[in-house]
Amino acid sequence: MDQLLLPILMFAGLGGLMYFSMKKQKRVAAATRQMHDSLVSGARVLTTSGLHGTVTAVADDTIELEIAPGLRTIWVRAAVREIIVPGPSEDFDLAIDADPDVIDAGDRDPTDQNVTDRKFKDLN
């Protein structure tokens, strides 16, 4: 019995390691799938090849990215590594419409420090 205890413990440990690594891998795959499903027009994304672009159109399995003003390319959704700046969401639009104290975009001062900081942050 003592001779079988060590191999049984080793196989149990190996099985535990395999179980937890598969669980982590499934969690990462689900998060990636959810990120790809949440792509909307207006979102700034980073592709797996390192290209930054803005999503202009979304189809079933492809997206159209604007990588320079007027220059649009078509990519597979799976090529998106991360969403840098999320696009506009319906909840966000409703929240702005519901708040009467929100300043209209036309009333903003372009030299406002918050706007300038955000522009530089988006580029980095």
Side-chain angles (χ1 to χ4, degrees), residues 60-75:
D60 290 335
D61 60 342
T62 60
I63 59 171
E64 185 177 87
L65 292 181
E66 184 173 28
I67 55 177
L71 181 60
R72 295 178 178 177
T73 57
I74 297 175
W75 292 73

Side-chain angles (χ1 to χ4, degrees), residues 10 16 23 90:
M10 287 176 52
K23 187 175 177 180
E90 293 178 17

Side-chain angles (χ1 to χ4, degrees), residues 37-90:
D37 290 342
S38 69
L39 287 172
V40 293
S41 293
R44 294 227 354 118
V45 296
L46 173 68
T47 64
T48 54
S49 61
L51 182 77
H52 290 259
T54 304
V55 178
T56 57
V58 179
D60 290 335
D61 60 342
T62 60
I63 59 171
E64 185 177 87
L65 292 181
E66 184 173 28
I67 55 177
L71 181 60
R72 295 178 178 177
T73 57
I74 297 175
W75 292 73
V76 177
R77 277 187 190 226
V80 176
R81 177 182 295 169
E82 69 178 282
I83 298 175
I84 298 172
V85 179
S89 66
E90 293 178 17

